Amino acid sequence: MILAQALDATYWGFLGRGIGAILLYAVIGILLMLVGFWAIDLTTPGKLPQMVRAGLPNAVTITAAGMISMAFIIVIAIYVSSGSLLQGVISSLVFGLVGIIAQVAAVRLLEWVTGIDIGEVIQSDEPRAAAKVVAAAHVALGLIVAVAVF
């Protein structure tokens, strides 16, 4: 009780806003990661959710890299929003969606340039070096998009 009296009303407003921002950004982050997962699934032969659940190593590696790269973009979009919750939410959504489009395009380009058959790689039961290349492309592009936002 003494602690509550010692802290003024602005602190409690700050605390409430922070909790709300955490929850809102968590929802946005999850939604964007799900959209990113769906985009990878849509543009890759086979059913990605089933491959990940089955523990296919290349599907898991590439999917995990895609999720990490999305997180880079979202974190930087939040960081550069200068404390404005609305600006941060809009920036996260817009940059996240642009990042997903850029990643899908880059992976398709990588597939074409290198001759990697991503569909075959992702469905393999054995770890493949090509999966590491695709995963690295996801992470690298996530960093590039994130820094472009900054």
Side-chain angles (χ1 to χ4, degrees):
M1 187 66 166
I2 295 173
L3 179 62
Q5 291 172 346
L7 300 172
D8 64 12
T10 59
Y11 174 76
W12 296 109
F14 164 78
L15 195 61
R17 182 183 176 282
I19 291 169
I22 289 169
L23 295 174
L24 185 59
Y25 282 125
V27 168
I28 289 169
I30 290 167
L31 289 174
L32 286 171
M33 285 190 231
L34 288 173
V35 169
F37 182 83
W38 174 77
I40 295 169
D41 182 33
L42 182 66
T43 61
T44 306
K47 296 291 182 196
L48 190 58
Q50 292 171 354
M51 290 185 275
V52 170
R53 276 194 304 274
L56 295 179
N58 304 309
V60 171
T61 298
I62 292 170
T63 301
M67 300 295 106
I68 290 169
S69 65
M70 282 306 309
F72 289 143
I73 296 165
I74 295 164
V75 166
I76 295 299
I78 293 168
Y79 180 75
V80 300
S81 65
S82 304
S84 168
L85 185 57
L86 181 59
Q87 181 180 343
V89 166
I90 292 169
S91 297
S92 297
L93 288 170
V94 170
F95 294 139
L97 292 173
V98 170
I100 290 168
I101 292 166
Q103 283 182 328
V104 168
V107 170
R108 296 289 75 87
L109 180 63
L110 175 71
E111 183 176 23
W112 179 71
V113 169
T114 63
I116 295 172
D117 182 350
I118 293 177
E120 186 271 327
V121 168
I122 207 167
Q123 294 178 44
S124 175
D125 290 336
E126 297 296 320
R128 300 278 177 93
K132 293 176 185 176
V133 172
V134 174
H138 274 294
V139 172
L141 193 62
L143 287 170
I144 290 166
V145 172
V147 171
V149 169
F150 191 66

